[in-house]
């Protein structure tokens, strides 16, 4: 079972128990709603409580503690519906976060898989195949039809159309001819181009895009950082008010 699927099971189960209890309360089910909700709270709330307890043992005191106390209180006073709603909100948010992380990871893997690996470098009249990482500024390269531009470059010879949508988002191919600046990751469509590298592959536009996506995945959004910062004060303040 994948982590994303496992994370989605708890909010789905909480939603099912909430709906089943509402059906029971409306008379469509023979079982009492309170019993259904209590069973659902015990089943879905226990993993949330245990997860928060493990975090507290590691010194992590965040807003999750308030949600855990709400779940425990709902069970203690035999009012399970609010507890189930808290479980749904808590685990649903975590499931959405896992989904977003998975999509970001897939985007990084796709970008890295599509990165140019091989370049054709002119050495006088000879053409050598080299790894894209070996490109140096000033190298003269040949970009054949159907290939990606391996590094930021300027066209020296040839005329073709290049597909730029992977880099700029423009849907219409643009003309590349002598003097045209090309960014790494653009696709040559029809004719061979001789270009001069203006940057190494690792310093070109495509590599910068991959680094930006990777950093965005590893970092936190400003709103999330703000929530984490104030959770340190919000949690004890909430406990004092409740007491």
């Amino acid at each position: 079972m994948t982590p994303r699927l496992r994370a989605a099971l708890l909010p789905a189960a909480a939603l099912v128990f909430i709906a089943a209890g509402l059906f029971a309360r409306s008379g469509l089910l023979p079982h009492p709603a309170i019993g259904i909700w209590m069973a659902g709270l015990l089943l879905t709330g226990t993993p949330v409580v245990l997860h928060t307890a493990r975090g507290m043992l590691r010194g992590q005191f965040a807003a999750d503690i308030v949600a855990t106390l709400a779940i425990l209180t709902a069970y203690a006073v035999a009012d399970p519906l609010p507890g189930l709603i808290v479980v749904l909100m808590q685990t649903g948010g975590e499931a959405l976060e896992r989904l977003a992380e998975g999509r970001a990871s897939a985007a990084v893997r796709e970008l890295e898989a599509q990165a140019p690996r091989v370049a054709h470098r002119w050495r006088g009249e000879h053409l050598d195949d080299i790894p894209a990482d070996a490109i140096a500024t000033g190298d003269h390269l040949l970009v054949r039809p159907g290939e990606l531009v391996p590094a930021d470059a300027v066209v020296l010879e040839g005329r073709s159309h290049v597909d730029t949508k992977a880099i700029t988002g423009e849907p219409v191919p643009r003309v590349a001819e002598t003097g045209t600046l090309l960014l790494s990751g653009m696709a040559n469509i029809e004719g061979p181009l001789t270009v001069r590298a203006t940057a190494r592959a690792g310093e070109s536009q495509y590599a910068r895009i991959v680094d930006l996506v990777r950093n965005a995945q590893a970092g936190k959004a400003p709103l999330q950082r703000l929530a984490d910062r104030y959770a340190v004060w919000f949690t004890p303040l909430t406990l004092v008010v409740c007491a």
Side-chain angles (χ1 to χ4, degrees), residues 188-204:
N188 185 17
I189 296 177
E190 57 201 10
L193 296 172
T194 297
V195 302
R196 176 173 53 82
T198 58
R200 298 170 57 249
E203 300 169 349
S204 294

Side-chain angles (χ1 to χ4, degrees), residues 15-39:
L15 188 59
V16 168
F17 277 106
I18 291 173
L22 292 175
F23 274 114
R25 175 160 289 187
S26 66
L28 298 178
L29 292 177
H31 304 288
I34 192 71
I36 294 175
W37 287 334
M38 190 66 75

Side-chain angles (χ1 to χ4, degrees), residues 43 83 138 164 169 222 229 234-235 239:
L43 180 64
T164 66
R229 183 189 310 165
F234 173 75
T235 299
L239 298 180

Side-chain angles (χ1 to χ4, degrees), residues 211-227:
D211 287 340
L212 284 173
V213 175
R214 188 184 292 113
N215 292 336
Q217 178 189 6
K220 292 184 177 181
L223 185 60
Q224 186 177 359
R225 291 197 298 268
L226 184 66

Side-chain angles (χ1 to χ4, degrees), residues 158-180:
R159 191 177 190 278
S160 181
H161 283 84
V162 291
D163 186 349
T164 66
K165 63 176 177 288
I167 304 300
T168 66
E170 298 177 18
V172 179
R174 56 186 261 198
V175 175
E177 53 192 0
T178 302
T180 301

Side-chain angles (χ1 to χ4, degrees), residues 114-146:
Q114 294 177 355
R117 305 292 181 189
V118 178
H120 316 297
R121 181 169 61 189
W122 286 108
R123 288 296 188 188
E125 299 296 326
H126 299 284
L127 194 63
D128 298 330
D129 287 346
I130 62 171
D133 292 339
I135 296 173
T137 303
D139 280 349
H140 288 198
L141 310 171
L142 175 66
V143 183
R144 295 178 175 132

